[in-house]
Amino acid sequence: MNTQHEHYDKDRLNAISITEVARRLGDNVRKVGVNHVTSCPWHDDEHPSLSLVEGKGKNYCHCFACDKGGDVIAYTMQHEGWTFQDACQWLSQTFGISTLQHGGYVPKTKSRPIAKTVEPEYTYIPMEMLDELVSTENSLCQCLMQMFQPEAVEWIVEEYRIGCYAINGQDDYTVFPNIDRYGRVCNLKVQHYETDTASSRFCHSDACFWLGKMWADAGKLPKGAVFKSACLFGEHLLSRYPDSVVALVESPKNALFGALAFPQLTWVATGNKSMLRHSVLSPLQGRDVVVIPDCDAVDEWTQALKSMADLANFIVSDFCQRVAAESQPKFDIADYIAQKHAPIF
């Protein structure tokens, strides 16, 4: 990081919600009683024991296992192995807190309190419920079977735990599970695909459903359950393949096409454009990531990822924009692979 000498407003930096700092650093944070807990960076913490204490005049962390802890700056330094200067620089840039003027008197002003993010108690779908759905009999796999070897499609179904579900009299809806890095099923997205190769809509879909809400409404899950939406599709594979280059796309369908055509990469998807956020991409911390936006999102994604350069080594490709015809404003990597053109890498 930049080590030039600057003066940082330590009071404001240490007033940043320590729980939010932990989330921005990519930690799994859960509420226990009145506080939150996460893994302790001061020791090898298999069972999260670091308490994040916030309240009137309180904003610090303390580990009940190793008895260490500290303020926001100390926590950030220990978490990342940074110097004091590095930690202050990252906190200032991430949370938009300007540095103090060098030299001279800087009057103290009453700053507005920093809003604290309160994470709801999420409901996770039991893995057994997903296991019952995993199948190649869904509409998307029917399309994929016409373009790839059946064994490859079966492999991708097991990797991503793709399923099949019946809705509105059709029993071949495709189920895309959002499984986080801890193996928890956050939600299940369901879509139907056109399987007729003669149709201009072949392998395309429109409306989608979320099984979490449907099952909660039907009493299969707790009423009023809140499901975590900030999860990459394929996130659970990042820990399985820690050394591979990651390919980031928008839709789960694109990720599956990519994984079939270029299995040397680990393919993940945001789900939609609005999910291109630091908190969603935090599992990519420290990875090399090839980003392949849809044709109409190259400029938007390029700009958005500039503010996340601290997170990963993002390389944005304008490939879809370059090869798309004027009549294909929504052209994506799945469209390209379906046409069986030459490799893009």
Side-chain angles (χ1 to χ4, degrees):
M1 297 185 72
N2 185 1
T3 57
Q4 66 180 4
H5 292 292
E6 293 181 278
H7 293 265
Y8 296 97
D9 193 335
K10 293 186 290 184
D11 290 341
R12 290 189 66 195
L13 295 181
N14 278 325
I16 300 169
S17 164
I18 197 164
T19 302
E20 183 60 22
V21 171
R23 292 196 183 99
R24 292 292 187 94
L25 289 171
D27 280 357
N28 179 41
V29 177
R30 61 187 179 89
K31 191 168 185 179
V32 176
V34 297
N35 298 321
H36 289 78
V37 298
T38 189
S39 297
C40 176
W42 279 275
H43 75 283
D44 188 8
D45 196 8
E46 295 183 1
H47 304 287
S49 55
L50 186 73
S51 181
L52 306 175
V53 182
E54 295 185 46
K56 189 174 182 179
K58 298 179 180 179
N59 191 47
Y60 64 92
C61 61
H62 177 76
C63 179
F64 291 95
C66 68
D67 201 32
K68 294 183 179 179
D71 57 25
V72 169
I73 297 174
Y75 170 71
T76 305
M77 290 172 61
Q78 183 66 28
H79 192 286
E80 297 298 305
W82 285 337
T83 64
F84 176 84
Q85 179 87 5
D86 289 340
C88 288
Q89 181 179 344
W90 180 83
L91 288 165
S92 296
Q93 293 177 345
T94 302
F95 293 92
I97 297 177
S98 59
T99 59
L100 297 175
Q101 298 296 321
H102 183 70
Y105 172 71
V106 180
K108 291 185 177 181
T109 58
K110 188 175 181 180
S111 60
R112 294 164 60 183
I114 298 173
K116 297 178 181 179
T117 303
V118 179
E119 184 175 278
E121 294 294 331
Y122 292 120
T123 295
Y124 295 98
I125 298 171
M127 184 62 74
E128 306 80 57
M129 296 180 75
L130 170 59
D131 289 341
E132 293 177 358
L133 305 181
V134 175
S135 170
T136 60
E137 298 300 317
N138 58 72
S139 54
L140 180 57
C141 283
Q142 291 177 40
C143 298
L144 295 175
M145 290 282 190
Q146 299 180 63
M147 291 178 273
F148 300 94
Q149 292 294 326
E151 295 80 7
V153 178
E154 291 170 0
W155 166 75
I156 214 68
V157 164
E158 289 300 321
E159 284 277 275
Y160 289 88
R161 308 302 289 159
I162 306 302
C164 187
Y165 196 73
I167 298 179
N168 299 330
Q170 290 183 291
D171 61 0
D172 61 348
Y173 270 72
T174 304
V175 179
F176 299 103
N178 280 0
I179 307 173
D180 70 12
R181 64 185 122 170
Y182 305 104
R184 301 173 301 192
V185 183
C186 300
N187 212 334
L188 304 170
K189 186 178 183 180
V190 184
Q191 291 183 275
H192 190 271
Y193 290 84
E194 174 59 64
T195 59
D196 182 3
T197 55
S199 170
S200 60
R201 294 286 300 165
F202 172 67
C203 207
H204 283 74
S205 175
D206 293 314
C208 71
F209 303 89
W210 291 95
L211 276 184
K213 184 179 186 308
M214 292 172 63
W215 282 350
D217 291 343
K220 295 181 179 181
L221 292 172
K223 290 286 186 182
V226 178
F227 301 96
K228 184 179 180 180
S229 60
C231 176
L232 292 169
F233 172 73
E235 183 177 310
H236 63 292
L237 298 177
L238 295 173
S239 58
R240 189 179 301 176
Y241 305 108
D243 299 322
S244 71
V245 174
V246 178
L248 176 67
V249 291
E250 181 181 335
S251 76
K253 185 189 82 171
N254 283 345
L256 296 187
F257 266 86
L260 285 164
F262 305 99
Q264 69 272 28
L265 304 176
T266 299
W267 292 74
V268 298
T270 61
N272 58 63
K273 292 183 179 68
S274 67
M275 297 302 285
L276 194 72
R277 305 197 301 261
H278 197 288
S279 58
V280 179
L281 302 187
S282 62
L284 300 176
Q285 183 77 50
R287 301 290 288 260
D288 291 325
V289 184
V290 177
V291 185
I292 311 175
D294 294 356
C295 175
D296 62 343
V298 173
D299 295 338
E300 180 182 344
W301 280 37
T302 300
Q303 189 62 35
L305 289 169
K306 286 181 179 179
S307 64
M308 305 184 208
D310 63 305
L311 185 61
N313 178 28
F314 293 110
I315 302 174
V316 182
S317 170
D318 64 350
F319 178 80
C320 292
Q321 193 177 68
R322 286 188 284 108
V323 301
E326 290 186 7
S327 60
Q328 298 174 301
K330 300 291 184 180
F331 190 84
D332 58 32
I333 191 62
D335 292 326
Y336 173 78
I337 294 173
Q339 293 173 4
K340 299 182 179 178
H341 283 184
I344 60 174
F345 301 114

